[in-house]
Amino acid sequence: MYDYIKGLLISKQTQSYRGSNAVVEANGVGYLLLVTPQTIQKLPDIDSNVKIFISLIHREDSMSLCGFLTKEERDIFNILQSVSGVGVKLSLLLLDEFPVSELINVVVKSDYKELSRAKGVGPKLAQKIILELKDKLINWSNVTPVPVDDVSENTNLSADCISEAQSVLLSLGYTINEAKAAIKAVVSSIKMPKDSEEVLRYALEFLAQQ
């Protein structure tokens, strides 16, 4: 129903009775967003303009908005909600404990011991999460654009730039895994492309050598 909120950051709290949260004002309305402590640390200063991806959670007795800095985080949060016994609080705890790429790897590798290191996740629940989500996360990661933080911590390229280059590669007939491998190789190299055109050019050179 909602994709994101863009507006003024009014407040951010790591500790409150609601948990970590931020308030964003858009068009005169203040939206309270439940977020992870990691998100709080990454948010800019108060009174800065922000864009936060959101998920609306509707329960019988309550409604809440959860906020995320990337679409990938939001999508994984929504997938986690499909597991019985994993609610909003636990999903946010998992995303605070694991970066998106690491969480996917842990589930795909069926490493329930690593997954159970998250607060509130015992071995039995970890195994249940893996059992119910493994196939979903494999399918999700195979059709999802490469997120910037999964490519390189040092790149200045935007997610849109990477997605654009990936879309062109897919239209040329390359598989999603080939496109991902090429983009990761290019952005992690010393060439340091400046825009999507350079990403595409170097990616095609990489693929031609394979």
Side-chain angles (χ1 to χ4, degrees):
M1 183 176 182
Y2 299 112
D3 188 32
Y4 63 85
I5 290 177
K6 182 182 284 187
L8 198 65
L9 181 63
I10 302 300
S11 70
K12 52 182 179 178
Q13 298 183 72
T14 302
Q15 300 293 335
S16 78
Y17 73 94
R18 295 189 181 96
S20 298
N21 65 83
V23 174
V24 177
E25 182 180 324
N27 297 321
V29 179
Y31 296 90
L32 185 131
L33 311 175
L34 303 180
V35 299
T36 68
Q38 289 285 347
T39 297
I40 292 291
Q41 293 179 12
K42 295 177 181 178
L43 283 171
D45 295 334
I46 300 300
D47 293 331
S48 297
N49 288 312
V50 293
K51 177 181 178 181
I52 300 181
F53 295 94
I54 58 175
S55 179
L56 173 64
I57 306 299
H58 190 187
R59 301 285 186 250
E60 290 184 2
D61 58 348
S62 66
M63 293 179 66
S64 57
L65 283 172
C66 298
F68 310 90
L69 295 181
T70 67
K71 286 184 178 181
E72 291 74 30
E73 243 189 335
R74 191 265 311 279
D75 292 346
I76 290 296
F77 171 83
N78 288 335
I79 292 174
L80 286 169
Q81 295 296 295
S82 68
V83 180
S84 58
V86 177
V88 171
K89 183 177 180 180
L90 191 53
S91 297
L92 291 173
L93 283 172
L94 283 167
L95 287 171
D96 191 55
E97 182 70 35
F98 300 98
V100 169
S101 57
E102 185 179 348
L103 181 58
I104 293 173
N105 288 334
V106 168
V107 173
V108 170
K109 292 178 181 178
S110 300
D111 192 348
Y112 76 91
K113 291 184 179 179
E114 180 68 10
L115 190 62
S116 62
R117 83 180 194 210
K119 185 178 179 180
V121 180
K124 289 185 178 180
L125 181 55
Q127 291 174 352
K128 181 179 182 181
I129 291 172
I130 289 170
L131 179 64
E132 295 190 25
L133 294 190
K134 185 172 182 178
D135 289 342
K136 290 182 181 179
L137 290 184
I138 289 174
N139 292 334
W140 179 87
S141 62
N142 282 339
V143 298
T144 301
V146 184
V148 174
D149 58 2
D150 188 41
V151 174
S152 171
E153 295 180 354
N154 299 320
T155 182
N156 292 319
L157 293 171
S158 67
D160 288 341
C161 174
I162 290 175
S163 296
E164 182 179 342
Q166 182 177 244
S167 295
V168 174
L169 291 173
L170 294 177
S171 69
L172 293 173
Y174 292 102
T175 67
I176 188 72
N177 288 331
E178 288 173 334
K180 282 185 176 184
I183 292 173
K184 286 182 180 181
V186 169
V187 179
S188 299
S189 72
I190 60 173
K191 296 177 181 178
M192 292 303 292
K194 298 178 181 179
D195 53 34
S196 60
E197 290 185 7
E198 285 196 356
V199 173
L200 181 60
R201 177 159 59 87
Y202 292 139
L204 289 171
E205 290 177 1
F206 171 85
L207 290 166
Q209 296 171 4
Q210 302 308 299

